[in-house]
Amino acid sequence: MYICLMYSKEIVKGTLKPIVLKLLKEHGRMYGYEITQNVKALTEGKIQITEGALYPLLHKLQAEGVLQTESEKMGKRVRKYYKLSQSGEAVADDLISEMLDFMQTLKSVLNPDYGQA
Amino acid sequence: MARLEDQQVEELHDQLLRWGIAYDPLRDDLLDHLCCMVEYEMNQGQTFSEAVQEALVKFDIYQIQETQEITLHLLTQKQRIMKKVAAITGIIASALAIGGVLFKMMHWPGAEVMLVLGVSLLSVVVLPLMGLIEFKQSNVLRSQYTALIGYISGATLFLGTLFRIMHWPGSSVLIVSGFVVLTFIFIPLYTVKSYQNTDNKMLAIARSAIIISAIAILWGLFP
């Protein structure tokens, strides 16, 4: 699903959702290509999201009411901007803090100084 | 900054169609994505056709088709579950209702429990759920409401008949309101819909007339 230059699939799996929600929280509204480019830039190319992973997630989150879309016509094409809905803000906050907490926990296990976060 | 011409955008759109990307909301996303990729390559100094070649290497067809499958699968997951629940409960409830009538005719014990359970399940769970499924499947507002009204008035009639069989109070209110909604709201909506959607207009009128006559006969049975 991802094209990962640095990390194995198993590790990156499950991080796409918090990454996308965090980006939308910071930027307000974004279109798909913009999201992939932002992730690539922020992670210095270490994580690259493919359209095959991104769009199913965006459509699912939209169906769940986490995201809303705004379409803008650009000649023959339509640019669809995704943004957090009102209830989506809370979902994003919860997931981001859960992920941060998880990373902290993981650190305490995997640290060279085993057991000290 | 390069910006694709309308004709170039159409070319990419046709490519997506040839690949079988039929789901409109996803095709809009993918078209814009592909256009952005091509524009990026063109900004690096490539011509349109070189840029398309380059973009298509990164944007391979199998992944795109998989994207559509995954998207549709995720989006229809809830509906598939709803359909399954409606189908299974529908079969069980119908069996209970038919069994209940049979038991009642034969004066066997348990008839009333089966009837109450079967008909309540049909009118409270199965029919509203089926109405909801059809409501979600259609994009046309009028057919959505036609389906919902049809199923709900059907459910009311079922419930009214159950009340009548069990000699519970309020059966007349349920039956009459079910019939009124069915006759004066559902039938006109249904007639217009089938008249517009069919090639054989006479058949559409005949179909509605038969339904109206069936309702008239039933109406005569339930004074």
Side-chain angles (χ1 to χ4, degrees), chain B residues 124-198:
Chain B
V124 178
V125 180
V126 180
L127 289 174
L129 201 58
M130 284 182 168
L132 203 64
I133 291 169
E134 264 193 49
F135 185 88
K136 289 200 166 178
Q137 254 172 0
S138 173
N139 300 323
V140 187
L141 199 67
R142 205 171 58 207
S143 14
Q144 285 185 324
Y145 284 105
T146 307
L148 211 57
I149 289 167
Y151 278 106
I152 296 213
S153 56
T156 316
L157 273 177
F158 263 104
L159 217 56
T161 315
L162 175 72
F163 274 47
R164 172 67 47 103
I165 294 172
M166 301 303 294
H167 305 291
W168 291 339
S171 69
S172 303
V173 177
L174 285 168
I175 291 174
V176 169
S177 57
F179 267 137
V180 167
V181 173
L182 203 65
T183 317
F184 296 108
I185 302 178
F186 174 74
I187 296 292
L189 281 172
Y190 174 82
T191 310
V192 171
K193 190 183 127 194
S194 61
Y195 187 80
Q196 281 171 346
N197 292 347
T198 183

Side-chain angles (χ1 to χ4, degrees), chain B:
Chain B
M1 281 291 282
R3 172 83 189 270
L4 293 185
E5 308 281 332
D6 283 353
Q7 190 205 335
Q8 293 169 324
V9 174
E10 266 175 17
E11 231 173 272
L12 293 173
H13 179 257
D14 292 345
Q15 180 66 55
L16 287 172
L17 275 180
R18 274 198 296 278
W19 278 341
I21 306 300
Y23 180 55
D24 288 343
L26 181 66
R27 198 171 59 239
D28 285 344
D29 276 329
L30 291 177
L31 179 62
D32 186 41
H33 196 106
L34 197 55
C35 289
C36 289
M37 286 170 89
V38 171
E39 282 166 354
Y40 173 81
E41 299 295 342
M42 284 168 80
N43 283 332
Q44 308 295 307
Q46 308 219 46
T47 64
F48 173 69
S49 52
E50 285 168 348
V52 170
Q53 288 290 324
E54 192 77 30
L56 292 188
V57 171
K58 294 176 189 159
F59 200 77
D60 73 299
I61 173 172
Y62 298 110
Q63 204 192 326
I64 298 308
Q65 285 165 344
E66 203 186 52
T67 305
Q68 177 172 248
E69 272 168 38
I70 296 169
T71 307
L72 288 177
H73 188 81
L74 285 175
L75 290 180
T76 54
Q77 207 162 26
K78 221 164 144 189
Q79 270 197 16
R80 279 200 308 276
I81 295 171
M82 270 167 70
K83 278 182 190 166
K84 219 178 215 170
V85 170
I88 293 171
T89 342
I91 290 168
I92 294 172
S94 306
L96 277 171
I98 294 167
V101 172
L102 185 71
F103 272 49
K104 197 162 176 77
M105 279 160 62
M106 307 302 285
H107 301 290
W108 289 337
E112 297 197 338
V113 178
M114 287 168 81
L115 258 178
V116 170
L117 217 63
V119 179
S120 325
L121 263 180
L122 274 177
S123 46
V124 178
V125 180
V126 180
L127 289 174
L129 201 58
M130 284 182 168
L132 203 64
I133 291 169
E134 264 193 49
F135 185 88
K136 289 200 166 178
Q137 254 172 0
S138 173
N139 300 323
V140 187
L141 199 67
R142 205 171 58 207
S143 14
Q144 285 185 324
Y145 284 105
T146 307
L148 211 57
I149 289 167
Y151 278 106
I152 296 213
S153 56
T156 316
L157 273 177
F158 263 104
L159 217 56
T161 315
L162 175 72
F163 274 47
R164 172 67 47 103
I165 294 172
M166 301 303 294
H167 305 291
W168 291 339
S171 69
S172 303
V173 177
L174 285 168
I175 291 174
V176 169
S177 57
F179 267 137
V180 167
V181 173
L182 203 65
T183 317
F184 296 108
I185 302 178
F186 174 74
I187 296 292
L189 281 172
Y190 174 82
T191 310
V192 171
K193 190 183 127 194
S194 61
Y195 187 80
Q196 281 171 346
N197 292 347
T198 183
D199 295 331
N200 197 335
K201 307 284 184 200
M202 283 297 281
L203 200 65
I205 294 172
R207 208 178 287 142
S208 295
I210 291 167
I211 297 175
I212 293 170
S213 70
I215 289 177
I217 292 167
L218 282 173
W219 201 304
L221 284 179
F222 288 108

